[in-house]
């Protein structure tokens, strides 16, 4: 399983693409098109919002699990774009139980943010929160409802009814017209029908024949609805445990959980970020790391790597290994800083992530300094090719977390990775 260990955008797409080669099924288990997963292959860039990042392998089963919320407009757009680029999408499967993002979810997301004003969460405004809210309220529309116009119409009416007041400002929006909505969604259903499937059963069948299922997480642990920096979180659970509910595969079937972390930290949207850099260094990281949101194009906030938050993520996910991406971005920066604890204004010190939101908001990061490393590392392919100070930096992270670093990213390209010596090989074999 691939999960985000920070605030999202750690490079999950690239790692999933890399591991998908050895997997038989790749499945997304939560989130929706708030995600933006980038893959760069042979100089070509692909950005996936809903389709699993394994789709570039012709015929590979790539499933969208029941825990995902699907905007069919975005999904059909993504399918069209891939077809246009000559990608075989015959392996795409869509859970019949996944919930659908409806036009009113998108409008309500925006309206909610506008209402919050300065207190906004900074959502992607893709309707994610309102869609999961309807799912919990049992007012959701599911993929299978697309296949029966009568049921679809009834369910949309029932779902819209309690929202009348909130939707009043959009009364004239043509997308909200019941007839139009039903027709549009029936048309989506016709297009998606060949891909609609029982995705849980597909995973079980693969596991029963000892094949490999790769779970692709979206967002990251610190955006988790239960464990993240609530309310500045997403509306699903990006932690490993959610893969079970989001696909139907029980926890005992999962044997490896790889957390993906950048060599520094970023966050898009509002909310506490103790290691944030508001200075030139932050700007340098943003510029060198190309830190602009894949989905919304917003500049990402940047900061030093945060061991307190990572240790929390490692525990929450029972991580078996860590992947550190974008090490190349840190080349030439001296010294490098690693946040090892938080300090509250009253003097209290936190080695572990504080459960109280006010403490996180008020926390200042305390750092350990390490010497930086010089030179371009984008061409390094073996651990021993890395400058000793770069290796020391990775070892420091691994030692603090008590988890091996198995893979390191040294550039955005597919081949720009280093499999780390002793740890990588057996794990890779086990995972395959
Ligand atoms: P995801 O949401 O976790 O899949 O990550 P995103 O795709 O939103 O953001 C990660 C960005 O970093 C993408 O633009 C990737 O192409 C890029 N990237 C991934 N790994 C590396 C790396 O090791 N070095 C550099 N420089 N860029 C990387
Ligand atoms: P990937 O999968 C980074 C953030 C938003 C906002 C908060 C809530 O590419 O890592 P939402 O639209 O989900 O209700 O917004 O979560 N967010 C992400 N940040 N990467 C993502 O996905 C994100 N998906 C949501 O910026 O702060
Ligand atoms: Mg992303």
């Amino acid at each position: 399983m691939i999960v985000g260990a920070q605030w999202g955008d750690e490079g999950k797409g690239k790692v999933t693409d890399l591991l998908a080669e050895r997997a038989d099924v790749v499945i997304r288990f939560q989130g929706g098109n708030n995600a933006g997963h980038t893959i760069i292959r042979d100089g070509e860039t692909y950005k996936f919002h809903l389709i699993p990042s394994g789709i570039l392998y012709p015929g590979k089963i790539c499933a969208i699990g029941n825990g995902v919320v699907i905007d069919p407009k975005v999904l059909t757009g993504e399918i069209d774009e891939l077809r246009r680029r000559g990608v075989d999408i015959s392996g795409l499967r869509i859970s019949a139980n996944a919930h659908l993002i409806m036009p009113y979810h998108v409008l309500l997301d925006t309206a909610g943010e506008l209402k919050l004003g300065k207190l906004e969460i900074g959502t992607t405004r893709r309707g994610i929160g309102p869609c999961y809210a309807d799912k919990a309220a049992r007012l959701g529309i599911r993929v299978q409802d697309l296949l029966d116009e009568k049921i679809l119409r009834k369910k949309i009416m029932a779902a819209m009814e309690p929202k009348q007041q909130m939707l009043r400002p959009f009364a004239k929006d043509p997308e909200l017209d019941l007839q139009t909505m039903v027709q549009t969604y029936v048309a989506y259903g016709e297009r998606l029908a060949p891909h609609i499937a029982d995705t849980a059963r597909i995973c079980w069948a693969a596991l029963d024949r000892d094949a490999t299922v790769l779970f692709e997480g979206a967002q990251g642990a610190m955006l988790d609805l239960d464990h993240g920096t609530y309310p500045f979180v997403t509306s699903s659970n990006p932690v490993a445990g959610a893969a079970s509910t989001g696909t139907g595969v029980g926890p005992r079937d999962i044997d490896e959980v790889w957390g993906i972390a950048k060599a520094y930290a970023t966050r898009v949207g509002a909310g506490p970020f103790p290691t944030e850099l508001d200075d030139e260094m932050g700007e340098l990281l943003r510029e060198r790391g190309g830190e602009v949101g894949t989905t919304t194009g917003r500049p990402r906030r940047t900061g030093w790597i945060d061991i307190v938050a990572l240790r929390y993520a490692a525990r929450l996910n029972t991580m078996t290994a860590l992947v550190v991406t974008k090490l190349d971005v840190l080349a030439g920066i001296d010294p490098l800083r690693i946040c090892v604890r938080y300090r509250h204004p009253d003097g209290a010190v936190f080695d572990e992530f504080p459960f109280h939101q006010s403490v996180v908001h008020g926390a200042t990061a305390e750092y350990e300094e390490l010497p930086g490393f010089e030179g371009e590392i984008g061409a390094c392919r073996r651990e021993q090719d890395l400058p000793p100070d770069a290796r020391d930096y990775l070892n420091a992270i691994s030692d603090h977390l008590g988890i091996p670093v198995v893979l390191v990213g040294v550039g955005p390209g597919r081949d720009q990775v280093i499999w780390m010596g002793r740890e990588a090989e057996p794990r890779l074999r086990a995972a395959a």
Side-chain angles (χ1 to χ4, degrees):
M1 185 182 312
I2 301 299
V3 288
Q6 296 164 315
W7 281 273
D9 303 326
E10 300 91 346
K12 299 175 292 291
K14 172 176 160 173
V15 178
T16 301
D17 171 53
L18 209 61
L19 294 188
E21 192 171 359
R22 298 174 170 87
D24 300 280
V25 177
V26 183
I27 186 162
R28 279 268 315 261
F29 57 90
Q30 45 70 234
N33 60 304
N34 47 351
H37 296 179
T38 317
I39 299 175
I40 301 177
R41 264 215 204 180
D42 306 325
E44 271 211 65
T45 302
Y46 299 86
K47 293 182 181 196
F48 297 118
H49 301 288
L50 281 164
I51 295 185
S53 303
I55 199 74
L56 298 182
Y57 298 92
K60 179 94 54 190
I61 298 296
C62 283
I64 301 179
N66 57 276
V68 175
V69 289
I70 300 174
D71 187 330
K73 188 178 187 176
V74 175
L75 180 56
T76 49
E78 219 162 68
I79 291 172
D80 288 341
E81 167 73 3
L82 284 175
R83 282 225 179 93
R84 195 184 59 75
R85 295 174 76 168
V87 176
D88 169 19
I89 58 134
S90 63
L92 179 65
R93 301 289 182 276
I94 304 164
S95 168
N97 288 353
H99 281 248
L100 292 169
I101 295 182
M102 306 299 290
Y104 44 86
H105 292 139
V106 180
L107 294 172
L108 290 172
D109 196 355
T110 301
E113 286 287 88
L114 291 175
K115 203 164 173 201
L116 283 171
K118 271 206 296 221
L119 299 175
E120 69 164 18
I121 292 159
T123 74
T124 59
R125 302 193 178 191
R126 298 301 192 262
I128 307 296
C131 184
Y132 276 116
D134 267 357
K135 175 179 178 177
R138 289 154 296 183
L139 286 172
I141 318 289
R142 296 193 294 172
V143 167
Q144 55 187 279
D145 300 327
L146 294 176
L147 305 178
D148 186 324
E149 183 172 336
K150 248 167 80 186
I151 290 182
L152 180 66
R153 184 186 309 271
K154 271 195 192 152
K155 291 199 173 182
I156 294 179
M157 277 167 66
M160 296 258 285
E161 207 273 324
K163 302 180 180 65
Q164 287 309 331
Q165 198 184 338
M166 280 185 296
L167 289 173
R168 200 161 290 153
F170 311 105
K172 292 213 171 70
D173 195 313
E175 280 198 50
L176 284 190
D177 174 68
L178 180 67
Q179 188 57 18
T180 312
M181 205 186 305
V182 172
Q183 290 317 318
T184 311
Y185 274 66
V186 164
Y188 290 140
E190 282 163 7
R191 285 210 50 199
L192 298 176
H195 302 283
I196 299 176
D198 185 345
T199 50
R201 212 162 282 281
I202 290 172
C203 293
W204 300 336
L207 293 166
D208 286 348
R209 60 171 196 271
D210 259 346
T212 301
V213 177
L214 180 62
F215 298 86
E216 178 181 12
Q219 289 82 51
M222 304 311 289
L223 290 172
D224 187 276
L225 179 60
D226 287 81
H227 303 285
T229 54
Y230 192 91
F232 301 101
V233 293
T234 191
S235 295
S236 71
N237 295 101
V239 297
S244 281
T245 53
T247 62
V249 172
R252 289 181 58 201
D253 275 319
I254 293 155
D255 43 29
E256 285 280 331
V257 180
W258 290 12
I260 319 299
K262 281 179 194 173
Y264 48 100
T266 63
R267 175 165 202 167
V268 213
F273 184 9
T275 64
E276 182 164 19
L277 289 162
D278 271 327
D279 55 7
E280 278 171 24
M281 182 60 76
E283 193 48 50
L284 184 74
L285 289 174
R286 186 155 37 245
E287 204 179 296
R288 294 191 38 186
E291 297 298 352
V292 177
T294 311
T295 299
T296 55
R298 290 177 289 177
R300 293 175 183 149
R301 300 157 66 192
T302 52
W304 297 113
I305 197 164
D306 182 343
I307 295 293
V308 181
L310 273 178
R311 201 183 282 132
Y312 180 53
R315 196 67 192 85
L316 280 170
N317 285 292
T318 323
M319 264 179 218
T320 56
L322 192 75
V323 175
V324 177
T325 61
K326 299 192 124 173
L327 185 64
D328 52 299
V329 175
L330 296 184
I333 297 175
D334 188 45
L336 294 171
R337 301 176 94 189
I338 292 182
C339 164
V340 289
R341 70 185 79 81
Y342 298 159
R343 189 177 292 273
H344 191 253
D346 71 6
V349 165
F350 293 85
D351 298 314
E352 301 294 340
F353 198 77
F355 70 89
H356 204 295
Q357 186 69 7
S358 309
V359 177
V360 184
H361 275 278
T364 40
E366 293 198 343
Y367 298 96
E368 199 176 279
E369 281 190 359
L370 274 89
F373 56 92
E374 284 297 330
E376 188 45 56
I377 61 166
C380 298
R381 293 294 176 269
R382 295 174 312 167
E383 191 174 348
Q384 57 265 40
D385 298 340
L386 284 173
D389 288 332
R391 274 183 274 163
D392 287 347
Y393 182 71
L394 294 170
N395 286 335
I397 294 169
S398 175
D399 288 348
H400 275 298
L401 300 178
I403 296 176
V405 173
V406 283
L407 185 66
V408 175
V410 292
R414 186 167 194 275
D415 61 327
Q416 289 184 294
V417 290
I418 298 176
W419 288 102
M420 300 293 279
R422 297 178 313 283
E423 293 290 349
E425 198 40 49
R427 282 186 188 278
L428 202 57
R429 236 183 293 123

